[in-house]
Amino acid sequence: MKTLTLLRHAKSGWDDPVARDFDRPLNAKGRRAAAAMGRQMRVLGLSFDHVVASPAVRVTETIGEIESGYGRTLAPAWDKRAYLASSAMLLDMVRETDDAHGVLLLVGHNPGLEELVLDLVPDAGGDLRDSVEEKYPTATLAELTFAVTRWADVRAGQAALTRFVRPRDLDPTLGPDED
């Protein structure tokens, strides 16, 4: 059995005048959401054998806030391929994971993360899959399990989506802004 946890970076600040998208930092709501998600990860007792993350500023800041709430250091392997990666690229990264790791956390961006969940979980995947299809918000965590012993054997349509936790599930003020 292998477990893949996908975490989308928290809400970033579009008001920040940065030259490159890669350098965009989190905004205040994003920082609160990431810390709340870290606390929830601690409450759920989640732990990871290996962490891979995009090196984009909004991801590194998300991980910092997650760690503050989680109470543990994640110590990710930074992989530039994860920056704005497609579902196919993310799946390649998953399949390259050393089989000694049973639980992988991948921290990155949409639309790749959402598309990866939708590719890996069968269409009849239930209410959680329907929620992902509706929207994979920032700072949201999805947990998938696979009945395989090797990461290289992960295939489309084989995952069970066991968790989909959005910041607004933890605190309604972290949900979408009202117009």
Side-chain angles (χ1 to χ4, degrees), residues 21-56:
D21 174 73
F22 185 89
D23 298 323
R24 235 176 339 108
L26 296 183
N27 66 20
K29 186 175 184 178
R31 290 184 183 286
R32 287 193 336 270
M37 190 58 66
R39 289 189 297 275
Q40 182 66 15
M41 289 165 58
R42 183 179 64 227
V43 166
L44 294 171
L46 300 184
S47 63
F48 311 100
D49 300 330
H50 188 54
V51 180
V52 177
S54 161

Side-chain angles (χ1 to χ4, degrees), residues 4-8 52-55 59 79-97 104-120 136 144 146 151-152 154:
L4 171 63
T5 304
L6 303 173
L7 178 66
R8 184 176 174 199
V52 177
S54 161
V59 174
D79 192 327
K80 289 181 182 180
R81 297 177 301 166
Y83 174 64
L84 303 180
S86 66
S87 173
M89 174 57 73
L90 294 170
L91 183 55
D92 286 347
M93 293 169 64
V94 168
R95 289 178 176 158
E96 292 169 6
T97 302
L104 170 64
L105 172 62
L106 183 55
V107 188
H109 310 266
N110 250 6
L113 291 176
E114 179 178 330
E115 291 169 356
L116 182 61
V117 173
L118 297 176
D119 289 346
L120 294 175
Y136 195 124
L144 300 89
F146 301 88
W151 288 106
V154 168

Side-chain angles (χ1 to χ4, degrees), residues 2 12 53 74 128 154 173:
K2 298 291 185 192
S12 57
L74 293 174
L128 290 179
V154 168
T173 68

